Amino acid sequence: MAATNRRLDQPSALPESTPNPIPSSSPAFATPAHPILPRRTAPIPAPPALKAAPPKPTILPILLPPATLRPLAFRTFTKKHNLTLTSSALQALATFVGRHCGSGWREEGLAERVLEEVAKSWKKGGGQVIVDGDGAALKAILKAVEGSMSGGKIVQSSHSALSRQGSSVFGPDINVEDNAATRPPLGHTESFGISRLEVEDPQEEEEAYKDARDWIQVVGAFEQPRLVYSVNRKHFEKSTTTPSLFPQASHKTDLFRQHFHIVHQRILRNDTFQAPSFSANRSASLARTSSLSASQTTTITPIANLLGRTGSTHLLLGLLTVSPTGTLALSDLTGSIALDLQHARPIPEDGTYFAPGMIVLVDGTYEEDYSNPTSNSALGNTGGIGGNIGGKFIGFSVGHPPCERRSTTLGSTSDQGANQASTTTGPAFGWTDFLGLGSERATGARMSRLASRLLPTTSTHNIAIASDLHLDVPSTLSSLRTLLKAYTPHPTDTHPNYPLAIVLMGNFSSRASLAGVPGAGSIEYKEHFDALAAVLAEFPELIAHTTLVLVPGDNDAWPSAFSAGASAPLPRKAVPTIFTSRIRRVVAEANREIWGAGGAKTGEKGKEAKRKEGEVVWTTNPSRLSWFGVKGEMVLFRDDVLGRLSRTAVRFGNAKDEKEQEEDRVASPMAEPEEGDTQPMDLDLPVLRDQAEQLDPDTLTARALTRTLLSQSHLSPFPLSTRPLHWDYASALSLYPLPSALVVADKEAPAFVVKYSGCTVMNPGPISEGVGRGRGHGKVRWVEFDVVSGRGLVRNEE
């Protein structure tokens, strides 16, 4: 212990030049004789982010009963926003207001602002009419509102969780992609009602937008929302699976199951299949049906329910298939049964096609096979419920499911024109956003007012469609010049009327490109589009005032490289940009020449009116061209559908007498005229017997093709072996709800314009009349569609 004290009392053995060591309180080290003086350093200023923030005003929470908040919530949600609050939602709102607004919720108007913000966010998120407090949607909105409140008030700042996106529709100065993270997550409801049109109130946009082309959008097949029909909820929901070009095997059956669910729910909502109150009403409704005669039942029987009911008459709904034994069969979600159509007749006669892969209605009698109950299920041993039902079903008549008008599906009466007012009618899918551009009830009223202002009925607003532009054929380029000259105004015209869009559809090559065919390689393929760019450069005034939409075909890159011109899987992507760069430069040069560097044109009164410049859009096949959101929709589809129908259709060989043909005309879809449809090629109009005899074969073919596609609500109602599809993207080929117009570019079908159930179906045919059918007379042919009246016209120019 003495040694230890002596060491501590001795001075440090370190020389004076040695810097002072770091002092330590450990007894194992000696303490320095001279203490270290503290250094004088300037204080480090705190960064701005670490400075003390101003204190937030404190709010004393209160317990607010829901009954006290009910009158204010009723005025805000029900009277102002047409929403209905459940008891759980009112309880959640009362708790939120009492906690964050305190005692000033009534005197200072804090609760009214919060309720207004919640109601707008709910409608913006596409919520249903009934606001439920148990779901995740309202909780997410309240959480976003809570992050934007300070002192009981909603603060709208650049870092706010709501900003403008949570309280109103997207404005033109908001970048949707950049601020996507600030929007409250709405889960599966984000596909209902949300609009990507970036439109606020049309009254405020009247001076800012003067061009109807600002509200035209092209939606590709891979950009459409993938919606799944829920049988339990009787509504469409957004698919939760990630789409893939190599999906699981279960997705193949989901493809046909979804098609069956959509057609089945459509039939059950039809007046013909409703339970009648009186027999007289039932007879009247059957007389107006589009598929079945008045003597047939309107109760659909599942196939599994046929067991033990031999000799009884039933009406079946199922998928027409070919069994492993090579015979026809009918399948639904409960089982399959062999079909005997030897004595069956189609309804209407010679007016439609029936092919495997279609969902049809069959009326007939069930006969059970007692001798060998498993004769139809010997392959694979899949008899009984869920498999093949023993026996056979003898069909008397076969018909397509009745079609449903677009106004009935969306709950509006605006399918007669693009600029008519929108009113909701009956139970429908008015809140469902099928294209991601806004639902009928969320944006329909605003779009109607805007369309009536920008699409006046005093002028025409056309869309020109041409197909089979074989750029490797010199006559095609001459035909394209004729088309562009028809829409180029004269220099003396004071009010030129340019088309809203010009749609050019493939095939852009007469031979399969990039498939090893001599003279059809990548270099030649790009030269063909360079030739198209040279033709477009001759019309800069027209190109700068319209939208060019180009849809590929089976002979275009890249699918033709491995399919060699055969049917490539649908949907297919657009032509690669490596071949289209010169066309884009031509359009950009035309905009600079006409509009200048600023992109605006001086109006008549000296003010600058915002006009949309010309653009070119390379889209998928199929694709959708929409104007004013849900107000108008045109489906663009390039495929040889008629030839595939003719090769695979079921033949009915029995002949009928004159009396039976007259009965079919009474029960056909042409038996009831409808007001407002006055086109000669309107299938909704009655056709007399002498008029039907005068119809040429091309007209009958056009009517049959139209009725088949629209009744099936699908662009490709074929088996996958006949027409391959990408399973996860097959919903893009659905025609439910019916579009305003359907363009089926089929080179084997005649050029026609037919209107059926409010949908205008058009086939422009090859742009040069001699292409594809060998009957050319040197004419140029295309189709012109007026978006205001909804009427189409086949134009022929020399």
Side-chain angles (χ1 to χ4, degrees):
M1 185 69 182
T4 304
N5 295 335
R6 188 167 52 250
R7 277 196 309 270
L8 295 177
D9 295 337
Q10 292 178 355
S12 177
L14 294 176
E16 298 181 358
S17 59
T18 305
N20 294 330
I22 299 176
S24 175
S25 60
S26 175
F29 297 93
T31 303
H34 304 283
I36 301 175
L37 299 178
R39 297 182 180 181
R40 295 182 179 181
T41 58
I44 302 176
L50 299 180
K51 289 183 178 180
K56 291 185 178 181
T58 58
I59 295 295
L60 182 62
I62 63 172
L63 183 61
L64 182 62
T68 307
L69 187 65
R70 186 187 302 274
L72 181 59
F74 178 78
R75 291 197 303 267
T76 304
F77 280 83
T78 304
K79 286 192 173 182
K80 189 173 183 180
H81 294 281
N82 196 21
L83 298 174
T84 302
L85 283 174
T86 61
S87 57
S88 59
L90 183 61
Q91 176 65 41
L93 291 174
T95 304
F96 183 85
V97 171
R99 180 182 303 172
H100 296 89
C101 296
S103 58
W105 69 274
R106 189 199 304 267
E107 291 78 5
E108 302 178 14
L110 302 180
E112 184 176 1
R113 300 173 187 174
V114 171
L115 296 179
E116 179 74 17
E117 189 67 36
V118 172
K120 289 181 179 179
S121 300
W122 180 270
K123 297 183 68 175
K124 171 62 189 65
Q128 300 179 0
V129 179
I130 300 177
V131 183
D132 190 7
D134 297 332
L138 183 60
K139 296 178 182 178
I141 294 176
L142 294 179
K143 184 177 181 180
V145 173
E146 180 181 358
S148 302
M149 295 186 65
S150 176
K153 300 180 180 179
I154 297 179
V155 180
Q156 298 289 351
S157 61
S158 58
H159 301 285
S160 173
L162 288 180
S163 66
R164 294 176 57 193
Q165 299 180 13
S167 59
S168 62
V169 293
F170 300 141
D173 56 345
I174 296 262
N175 190 348
V176 181
E177 300 296 335
D178 295 342
N179 295 334
T182 63
R183 276 182 269 131
L186 297 181
H188 65 278
T189 61
E190 66 177 0
S191 63
F192 296 89
I194 294 181
S195 173
R196 293 187 302 167
L197 289 179
E198 300 182 359
V199 56
E200 294 186 357
D201 191 358
Q203 303 293 338
E204 301 176 0
E205 299 292 332
E206 181 179 1
E207 298 297 332
Y209 294 94
K210 295 292 185 180
D211 198 344
R213 290 179 51 243
D214 289 313
W215 312 108
I216 291 182
Q217 288 198 2
V218 179
V219 182
F222 299 95
E223 303 172 1
Q224 299 180 25
R226 299 174 58 248
L227 302 180
V228 177
Y229 182 78
S230 176
V231 181
N232 297 328
R233 299 186 178 183
K234 302 295 187 296
H235 213 283
F236 285 92
E237 298 178 351
K238 186 176 181 180
S239 177
T240 56
T241 61
T242 303
S244 173
L245 296 180
F246 303 97
Q248 300 179 3
S250 60
H251 294 192
K252 180 180 180 180
T253 57
D254 291 340
L255 186 155
F256 296 98
R257 185 181 293 111
Q258 280 299 312
H259 186 197
F260 182 85
H261 284 326
I262 292 176
V263 175
H264 188 228
Q265 63 87 22
R266 188 187 74 190
I267 291 178
L268 295 182
R269 293 194 295 112
N270 189 279
D271 294 338
T272 305
F273 295 87
Q274 299 294 328
S277 301
F278 302 97
S279 59
N281 293 344
R282 175 179 179 178
S283 301
S285 63
L286 286 174
R288 295 192 298 270
T289 180
S290 61
S291 300
L292 304 173
S293 62
S295 62
Q296 294 171 332
T297 179
T298 56
T299 301
I300 297 177
T301 303
I303 292 180
N305 291 1
L306 295 177
L307 291 174
R309 304 173 68 179
T310 180
S312 57
T313 302
H314 302 277
L315 177 64
L316 304 183
L317 175 70
L319 181 70
L320 191 63
T321 60
V322 178
S323 65
T325 58
T327 60
L328 287 178
L330 194 70
S331 303
D332 64 2
L333 300 180
T334 63
S336 302
I337 189 171
L339 275 181
D340 184 1
L341 301 181
Q342 182 179 0
H343 305 285
R345 61 180 184 181
I347 298 177
E349 181 76 16
D350 297 331
T352 184
Y353 295 95
F354 297 93
M358 297 182 181
I359 297 178
V360 296
L361 288 166
V362 183
D363 181 54
T365 302
Y366 171 63
E367 288 189 0
E368 190 171 356
D369 188 2
Y370 293 101
S371 60
N372 188 8
T374 61
S375 60
N376 294 321
S377 58
L379 297 179
N381 193 20
T382 57
I385 298 178
N388 294 333
I389 306 301
K392 61 181 178 179
F393 192 79
I394 302 176
F396 299 150
S397 59
V398 182
H400 283 288
C403 199
E404 184 177 86
R405 302 179 72 93
R406 179 180 177 88
S407 58
T408 305
T409 306
L410 299 180
S412 65
T413 58
S414 59
D415 60 351
Q416 300 297 329
N419 60 344
Q420 296 188 8
S422 173
T423 58
T424 57
T425 58
F429 303 103
W431 284 108
T432 305
D433 186 3
F434 289 95
L435 291 183
L437 301 177
S439 62
E440 172 65 31
R441 295 200 175 186
T443 62
R446 293 192 298 250
M447 291 294 102
S448 296
R449 295 194 301 266
L450 191 59
S452 62
R453 186 161 49 247
L454 297 182
L455 296 178
T457 57
T458 56
S459 60
T460 59
H461 305 274
N462 297 325
I463 297 177
I465 307 106
S467 65
D468 282 280
L469 270 79
H470 297 166
L471 302 178
D472 54 343
V473 180
S475 59
T476 302
L477 299 178
S478 302
S479 302
L480 182 59
R481 286 189 180 92
T482 304
L483 186 151
L484 297 178
K485 288 180 182 178
Y487 295 100
T488 302
H490 195 269
T492 59
D493 293 345
T494 57
H495 299 283
N497 188 13
Y498 297 98
L500 296 177
I502 298 178
V503 181
L504 305 179
M505 309 181 69
N507 296 309
F508 295 111
S509 177
S510 59
R511 297 175 294 179
S513 304
L514 312 177
V517 181
S522 59
I523 298 178
E524 292 82 4
Y525 190 65
K526 189 176 189 309
E527 290 177 351
H528 299 335
F529 285 105
D530 294 345
L532 174 61
V535 176
L536 296 177
E538 300 176 8
F539 305 90
E541 185 74 19
L542 175 62
I543 300 304
H545 289 84
T546 189
T547 300
L548 294 175
V549 182
L550 292 96
V551 181
D554 290 332
N555 286 347
D556 295 311
W558 296 107
S560 62
F562 58 86
S563 64
S567 296
L570 291 176
R572 54 149 302 169
K573 294 185 178 181
V575 178
T577 56
I578 188 175
F579 303 108
T580 62
S581 56
R582 182 163 298 185
I583 296 180
R584 301 179 188 274
R585 290 198 300 265
V586 167
V587 175
E589 182 62 29
N591 291 330
R592 287 192 296 267
E593 179 181 350
I594 302 301
W595 301 104
K601 186 176 181 181
T602 304
E604 298 178 358
K605 298 182 180 180
K607 299 181 180 179
E608 284 193 351
K610 185 176 181 180
R611 301 285 182 176
K612 186 174 183 179
E613 300 178 354
E615 63 176 348
V616 56
V617 180
W618 299 84
T619 184
T620 61
N621 181 28
S623 61
R624 316 266 172 155
L625 191 149
S626 174
W627 53 90
F628 295 95
V630 75
K631 301 311 298 177
E633 174 190 347
M634 175 184 291
V635 178
L636 305 174
F637 184 47
R638 170 65 186 94
D639 192 22
D640 297 330
V641 184
L642 181 62
R644 194 171 292 106
L645 285 174
S646 301
R647 292 190 300 268
T648 61
V650 178
R651 301 296 190 270
F652 297 90
N654 63 318
K656 299 183 301 182
D657 55 16
E658 182 177 342
K659 182 179 180 180
E660 291 177 343
Q661 293 180 3
E662 184 67 25
E663 292 177 356
D664 285 347
R665 271 188 285 272
V666 174
S668 68
M670 299 178 289
E672 282 289 331
E674 300 188 12
E675 299 180 0
D677 296 330
T678 59
Q679 287 185 332
M681 289 291 291
D682 196 336
L683 294 184
D684 295 328
L685 292 177
V687 177
L688 300 179
R689 180 177 176 182
D690 54 350
Q691 294 178 352
E693 295 177 354
Q694 298 176 0
L695 296 178
D696 59 304
D698 289 348
T699 302
L700 295 176
T701 300
R703 289 170 176 263
L705 179 61
T706 298
R707 188 182 286 109
T708 301
L709 293 181
L710 297 190
S711 298
Q712 289 296 315
S713 296
H714 206 274
L715 291 173
S716 182
F718 304 104
L720 296 181
S721 58
T722 304
R723 190 53 164 119
L725 303 176
H726 291 299
W727 302 345
D728 282 358
Y729 296 97
S731 59
L733 280 77
S734 176
L735 293 178
Y736 188 82
L738 281 185
S740 304
L742 169 63
V743 178
V744 182
D746 191 341
K747 66 180 180 181
E748 299 180 4
F752 64 86
V753 175
V754 177
K755 191 171 185 180
Y756 181 51
S757 295
C759 176
T760 304
V761 182
M762 300 169 286
N763 177 32
I767 188 173
S768 298
E769 191 174 356
V771 178
R773 308 195 77 193
R775 302 186 305 181
H777 303 284
K779 292 184 179 180
V780 181
R781 183 174 55 194
W782 71 91
V783 167
E784 188 178 82
F785 178 75
D786 188 2
V787 300
V788 177
S789 62
R791 301 181 184 275
L793 175 66
V794 178
R795 294 193 55 175
N796 292 275
E797 300 288 343
E798 294 292 343

